[in-house]
């Protein structure tokens, strides 16, 4: 008999393929360090000039308006009046009107309003105000940290000038009965007055507004336009004083 067909050869079983390894875990992100708090700004971060020391001197570049020292006598020997006082001289230079200018309940020299240097009102009824002998700040040096005070400039002779030009009459009435050529309105502290009175109530002759001698000042037509200033010596009130 024909031998039976041998059983089919079985294919060898393939070994199982190993399973895919687990994914590599992502690294845990590290916490970002928090930003440190900002450094607080210093109390006075800006110096008015190189060598600035407001407690002892004033910078010329800002006309000593940075000075916060305790000098309380003018360069000509008068005692300074307390800035909060209105006697013997009434005025508008108060801490409320000139904030951040160093004014307050004291009589130390300051410059809130653009005068050439630090100054003060005086306690003498016959001397309204005067400049102070505040040292000028200068850069540090090997010889001396502070130079001597800058001397006041020698007054130059005022050249002869043509007759003063009268100020134009103010077209707007400041009060009932206004007549700027003859009187001033109290409601505006007489800043509307455009007359030709040129003597103070205590008998002093007025200085020409364009002159800087014998008193240097910042009350000029350029700084106070439309206030009736100019090439004349007539009484005016450009800056809020109690009267002309």
């Amino acid at each position: 008999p024909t031998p039976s067909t041998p059983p089919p050869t079985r294919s060898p079983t393939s070994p199982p393929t190993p399973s895919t390894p687990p994914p590599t875990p992502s690294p845990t992100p590290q916490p970002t360090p928090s930003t440190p708090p900002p450094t607080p700004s210093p109390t006075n971060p800006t110096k008015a000039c190189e060598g600035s020391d407001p407690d002892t001197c004033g910078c010329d570049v800002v006309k000593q308006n940075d000075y916060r020292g305790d000098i309380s006598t003018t360069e000509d020997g008068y005692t300074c009046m307390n800035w909060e006082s209105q006697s013997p001289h009434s005025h508008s230079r108060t801490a409320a009107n000139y904030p951040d200018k160093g004014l307050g309940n004291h009589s130390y020299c300051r410059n809130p309003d653009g005068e050439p240097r630090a100054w003060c009102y005086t306690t003498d009824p016959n001397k309204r105000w005067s400049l102070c002998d505040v040292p000028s700040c200068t850069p540090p040096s090997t010889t001396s940290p502070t130079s001597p005070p800058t001397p006041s400039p020698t007054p130059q002779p005022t050249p002869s000038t043509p007759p003063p030009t009268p100020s134009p009459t103010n077209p707007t009435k400041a009060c009932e009965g206004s007549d700027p050529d003859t009187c001033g309105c109290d409601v505006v502290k007489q800043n509307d007055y455009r007359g030709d009175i040129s003597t103070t109530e205590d008998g002093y002759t007025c200085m020409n507004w364009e002159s800087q001698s014998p008193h240097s000042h910042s009350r000029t037509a350029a700084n106070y336009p439309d206030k009736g200033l100019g090439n004349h010596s007539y009484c005016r009130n450009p800056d809020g004083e109690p009267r002309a």
Side-chain angles (χ1 to χ4, degrees):
T2 303
S4 61
T5 305
T9 305
R10 298 177 62 185
S11 300
T13 304
S14 300
T17 304
S19 61
T20 304
T24 304
S26 301
T28 304
Q30 298 300 312
T32 304
S34 58
T35 305
T39 303
S41 302
T43 304
N44 184 13
T46 305
K47 287 187 175 184
C49 66
E50 186 67 24
S52 169
D53 184 2
D55 290 334
T56 61
C57 61
C59 291
D60 292 339
V61 70
V62 293
K63 299 181 179 179
Q64 298 187 336
N65 72 10
D66 60 323
Y67 177 66
R68 296 296 182 270
D70 58 3
I71 292 174
S72 58
T73 304
T74 69
E75 62 184 1
D76 42 1
Y78 290 91
T79 300
C80 292
M81 186 180 88
N82 191 299
W83 290 99
E84 291 192 354
S85 175
Q86 294 290 325
S87 176
H89 306 292
S90 59
H91 64 94
S92 62
R93 275 49 173 189
T94 63
N97 292 337
Y98 293 81
D100 305 318
K101 298 296 183 181
L103 305 183
N105 185 23
H106 62 77
S107 56
Y108 305 144
C109 299
R110 297 290 185 263
N111 187 13
D113 59 354
E115 293 298 336
R117 288 183 285 128
W119 61 280
C120 68
Y121 294 106
T122 83
T123 56
D124 188 327
N126 297 317
K127 181 71 171 179
R128 182 169 173 79
W129 71 280
S130 187
L131 296 171
C132 297
D133 194 12
V134 171
S136 175
C137 294
T138 56
S141 65
T142 55
T143 55
S144 173
T146 306
S147 64
T150 304
S152 302
T154 303
Q156 300 298 316
T158 305
S160 60
T161 54
T165 304
S167 303
T169 302
N170 191 340
T172 304
K173 287 189 174 184
C175 64
E176 188 67 27
S178 169
D179 183 3
D181 290 334
T182 61
C183 62
C185 291
D186 292 339
V187 70
V188 292
K189 300 180 180 179
Q190 300 185 339
N191 73 9
D192 60 322
Y193 177 66
R194 297 296 185 270
D196 58 4
I197 294 174
S198 59
T199 306
T200 69
E201 63 183 0
D202 42 2
Y204 290 92
T205 300
C206 294
M207 188 179 87
N208 190 298
W209 290 98
E210 291 192 353
S211 175
Q212 293 290 325
S213 175
H215 305 295
S216 58
H217 64 95
S218 61
R219 275 50 173 187
T220 63
N223 291 337
Y224 292 82
D226 304 321
K227 298 296 183 180
L229 306 183
N231 183 25
H232 62 77
S233 56
Y234 305 144
C235 298
R236 297 290 183 263
N237 186 12
D239 58 355
E241 293 295 335
R243 289 182 288 132

